[in-house]
Amino acid sequence: MSFEEKLDSYFSKISIQLKESTGLTGNPAKHLLHIYADYVEVVSVFSNGTYISVTDILDRFKDEGLIHQKEKDSDQAEGNDENQTFVENIFRLILEREQLYGNDYPFLIRDSNKIIVKEIAELTLRNKLYFFLLFSSSLSLFNLFQPELTKEFEFICFKALKNFLPNDSEVRSFGKNTTYSGTAITKIRQLASELNVDIDERALDQISHRGTQERGLDLIGWIRFTDNVPNLLTILAQCACGKEWYQKLRETERYNRYFDFHCSKPIHVMFVPYSIIDYNRSIFYQNDECNDRIIFERKRILDLSKNAEVYNELISGEFIERCINAREDLV
DNA sequence: GAGCCACAGCGCCTTCTCTC
DNA sequence: GAGAGAAGGCGCTGTGGCTC
């Protein structure tokens, strides 16, 4: 199916709904408020110019089975209060995002309990980049476009890592957008040659000789010296859009065994499209998952996307434009 | 084009933890 | 201690890229 056909198919019967597989249905997971906030933002995108309120989201959660009716009437009043507080907390988080992202935030908040997308004419490229990251973190809602979103997320991360490092540093894509070719072993040898590092042949021998993909490394960046000693500041990066991104945190460590970095250990980093900054407490949500890693999440990626023109290079841009202009019947 | 591999999502099952 | 929900493990499926 071509991209155009996918667009037509998707927008002919559009429906935004939390699926059981997201792990967000059942009872509300209060430690995943940031994921629910993403969902509210997505619903708002499809509301086509109308405010989405706390009450709208409460009704929606009831319809989707996230919020259940209590068996006893006596428990229902307490349950209603809990549900109201839960959704209000989501909107409180959204309000924090408005402060955190400033002009890059593509939504307007009114009275702390209503959200709407900015007027289409007022949306900047940086606002649209925010949408791209939001949709990339909502793959379960946009399953049909998963290949485009994940591939282009890696492209955005490539640009962000380039901007993060000094001008004369080197950044390579080793994942879906790679310029390296051949089997995984061939690609790793090419990379080792560029880095001027020795290879641990025994470790490399553990890789399937028919495997072609990157073995957990999506991006690599390093800062060059003019000498030829492979004692470098090296960044090994993994990009992940899936809800369980934290399970991929250690994948780049394989390269500690493949390469002999002389007298130095590379820095392992993770790029995720999620907005996981807890603005008030100055920590990450799910911070227990990210030990010993530098995380580039939605805010940091957006900040590092200094040239928002990169949005115009995205195939997904057409999808995003259609989303902004779409109206979901259920809202 | 077939076959292989990697990735991400999904569903089922088991185990663990918490609440009553 | 029982029951419910959460968490983790495992295998399957669909998709896409690559080699042969």
Side-chain angles (χ1 to χ4, degrees):
Chain A
M1 191 189 290
S2 71
F3 187 68
E4 284 298 328
E5 287 168 337
K6 276 201 265 190
L7 285 172
D8 292 340
S9 170
Y10 183 79
F11 286 99
S12 67
K13 50 181 188 300
I14 186 165
S15 171
I16 301 298
Q17 190 169 1
L18 284 173
K19 296 175 184 171
E20 288 184 15
S21 57
T22 59
L24 299 179
T25 57
N27 277 333
K30 296 181 175 61
H31 67 296
L32 296 176
L33 272 188
H34 57 295
I35 307 283
Y36 291 106
D38 284 351
Y39 177 66
V40 172
E41 288 177 356
V42 170
V43 169
S44 177
V45 170
F46 287 89
S47 71
N48 197 24
T50 56
Y51 277 98
I52 298 296
S53 67
V54 168
T55 309
D56 293 330
I57 295 300
L58 265 173
D59 290 344
R60 202 174 174 106
F61 282 170
K62 282 176 193 163
D63 292 343
E64 294 179 6
L66 178 68
I67 290 174
H68 301 284
Q69 197 79 5
K70 298 284 183 185
E71 284 185 9
K72 296 179 186 173
D73 289 346
S74 54
D75 295 336
Q76 191 55 49
E78 187 184 351
N80 287 344
D81 287 345
E82 282 179 14
N83 295 333
Q84 178 84 18
T85 303
F86 172 64
V87 177
E88 283 174 356
N89 284 339
I90 295 173
F91 274 78
R92 199 164 294 130
L93 171 56
I94 287 172
L95 199 59
E96 288 176 12
R97 285 187 183 178
E98 189 185 39
Q99 293 175 284
L100 177 65
Y101 288 91
N103 289 334
D104 292 345
Y105 197 57
F107 302 94
L108 299 173
I109 315 299
R110 195 175 76 181
D111 302 334
S112 304
N113 61 7
K114 296 186 188 72
I115 180 171
I116 191 171
V117 178
K118 287 179 181 172
E119 291 286 336
I120 291 176
E122 292 175 12
L123 287 171
T124 65
L125 288 178
R126 297 187 67 79
N127 290 152
K128 291 176 181 178
L129 265 181
Y130 183 97
F131 284 138
F132 171 77
L133 296 170
L134 172 65
F135 294 168
S136 297
S137 65
S138 311
L139 286 184
S140 54
L141 300 175
F142 308 112
N143 202 26
L144 201 55
F145 299 94
Q146 179 188 318
E148 289 82 10
L149 290 170
T150 53
K151 184 175 180 179
E152 295 191 325
F153 175 64
E154 195 181 296
F155 172 67
I156 293 294
C157 295
F158 174 84
K159 298 282 188 185
L161 183 58
K162 256 197 164 312
N163 287 331
F164 179 67
L165 292 171
N167 285 339
D168 54 351
S169 59
E170 304 283 347
V171 178
R172 300 283 185 274
S173 177
F174 208 62
K176 295 186 176 74
N177 306 301
T178 187
T179 51
Y180 299 96
S181 60
T183 65
I185 293 175
T186 311
K187 290 175 185 172
I188 290 170
R189 287 193 190 283
Q190 290 170 28
L191 182 57
S193 171
E194 279 201 82
L195 284 164
N196 194 32
V197 295
D198 289 333
I199 290 174
D200 183 334
E201 293 293 343
R202 283 197 301 182
L204 213 58
D205 201 40
Q206 302 298 312
I207 302 174
S208 166
H209 286 248
R210 303 200 62 159
T212 56
Q213 294 199 19
E214 73 276 11
R215 305 288 297 164
L217 178 67
D218 290 323
L219 302 172
I220 177 166
W222 66 96
I223 301 174
R224 274 209 184 283
F225 291 99
T226 53
D227 59 57
N228 61 352
V229 181
N231 173 243
L232 306 167
L233 193 157
T234 313
I235 290 181
L236 303 178
Q238 165 77 232
C239 307
C241 297
K243 290 278 181 295
E244 294 175 351
W245 53 269
Y246 43 82
Q247 291 188 356
K248 302 178 79 181
L249 280 170
R250 310 202 81 83
E251 290 195 358
T252 53
E253 285 185 6
R254 290 193 184 104
Y255 286 78
N256 284 356
R257 293 194 289 278
Y258 299 153
F259 296 155
D260 176 17
F261 293 97
H262 187 60
C263 302
S264 65
K265 291 280 182 208
I267 297 169
H268 299 270
V269 309
M270 189 85 188
F271 284 88
V272 294
Y274 297 89
S275 183
I276 59 171
I277 290 178
D278 185 335
Y279 182 66
N280 281 337
R281 292 191 294 166
S282 301
I283 58 172
F284 287 138
Y285 290 101
Q286 295 181 280
N287 62 62
D288 54 328
E289 308 284 3
C290 33
N291 280 345
D292 203 22
R293 291 288 181 276
I294 294 176
I295 309 293
F296 290 82
E297 50 67 70
R298 188 179 301 164
K299 168 67 175 162
R300 292 182 173 186
I301 294 171
L302 205 52
D303 284 348
L304 288 168
S305 300
K306 292 170 186 164
N307 181 6
E309 294 287 331
V310 68
Y311 172 81
N312 293 325
E313 297 179 45
L314 303 179
I315 294 171
S316 312
E318 192 176 344
F319 169 61
I320 292 164
E321 299 295 330
R322 293 276 292 266
C323 289
I324 296 167
N325 289 287
R327 175 193 287 273
E328 187 205 10
D329 292 336
L330 294 175
V331 176

